[in-house]
Amino acid sequence: MQETLVVVGAAVLRNGRVLAAQRARPEALRGLWEFPGGKTDPGEIPEAALVRECREELGAHVRPLERVGPDVPLPVEGRRAVLRLWTAEIVEGDPRPLEHLALRWLSAGELRTVDWLSADLPFLEAVGAHLTHRPARSE
Ligand SMILES: Nc1nc2c([nH]c(=O)n2[C@H]2C[C@H](O)[C@@H](COP(=O)(O)OP(=O)(O)OP(=O)(O)O)O2)c(=O)[nH]1
């Protein structure tokens, strides 16, 4: 049986906000919002995939901090997969939408104002808690 594919996501935190990214592709997911990340390569450690994907998608170097919630099952291209989320901080660079339509920094109050991919919804409460436990500064 094929191994479960791990899709990694980064809840990048900065100044009391979290980074949301709007998908450009495929057409069925275009316009929906997600956490930057992607599929782990075969044999790749998930945290390394997170750093690699954020570099590719955002042009920034991030550091994973803590796991958020349990894995959420999702089908990817007919394979068994899970979405695994970490909080992360920026080590270097200012995120840019290199592969997404847009990026937004959301405060706790704004977290549910974008249309998330459905697999991301179970993480929002825990992500929101990370935001409200830190002081929000204007950005
Ligand atoms: N990156 C990311 N993918 C998510 C999230 N939620 C969710 O359902 N997905 C789904 C969308 C895709 O079907 C899959 C990840 O695929 P991807 O296209 O982002 O992966 P990738 O960057 O490795 O893409 P590629 O190189 O194969 O084109 O997981 C999320 O928060 N972040």
Side-chain angles (χ1 to χ4, degrees):
M1 203 172 61
Q2 237 182 354
E3 249 183 80
T4 300
L5 172 67
V6 179
V7 173
V8 296
V12 181
L13 305 175
R14 189 168 77 179
N15 298 340
R17 292 170 188 259
V18 65
L19 188 64
Q22 190 177 33
R23 281 195 78 99
R25 64 185 172 83
E27 204 49 47
L29 303 183
R30 186 177 170 87
L32 298 177
W33 293 78
E34 66 174 7
F35 295 106
K39 306 181 202 88
T40 48
D41 288 336
E44 186 179 35
I45 292 167
E47 285 92 334
L50 191 82
V51 173
R52 173 181 57 73
E53 289 282 358
C54 287
R55 196 186 289 279
E56 290 170 6
E57 294 181 358
L58 308 173
H61 182 192
V62 309
R63 185 166 71 94
L65 297 172
E66 288 172 41
R67 280 280 301 277
V68 180
D71 288 350
V72 171
L74 78 160
V76 176
E77 294 150 17
R79 283 187 66 180
R80 205 153 47 102
V82 293
L83 178 61
R84 186 171 295 171
L85 195 74
W86 282 259
T87 54
E89 65 177 1
I90 297 172
V91 177
E92 200 186 340
D94 193 23
R96 288 167 292 143
L98 301 181
E99 298 183 4
H100 289 92
L101 295 177
L103 300 179
R104 278 187 65 185
W105 288 99
L106 302 175
S107 65
E110 294 165 337
L111 206 48
R112 291 175 194 274
T113 62
V114 300
D115 212 355
W116 291 93
L117 293 180
S118 55
D120 296 46
L121 297 176
F123 292 111
L124 295 186
E125 194 175 334
V127 170
H130 275 277
L131 298 179
T132 49
H133 292 153
R134 288 163 177 77
R137 277 184 249 144
S138 60
E139 177 131 1

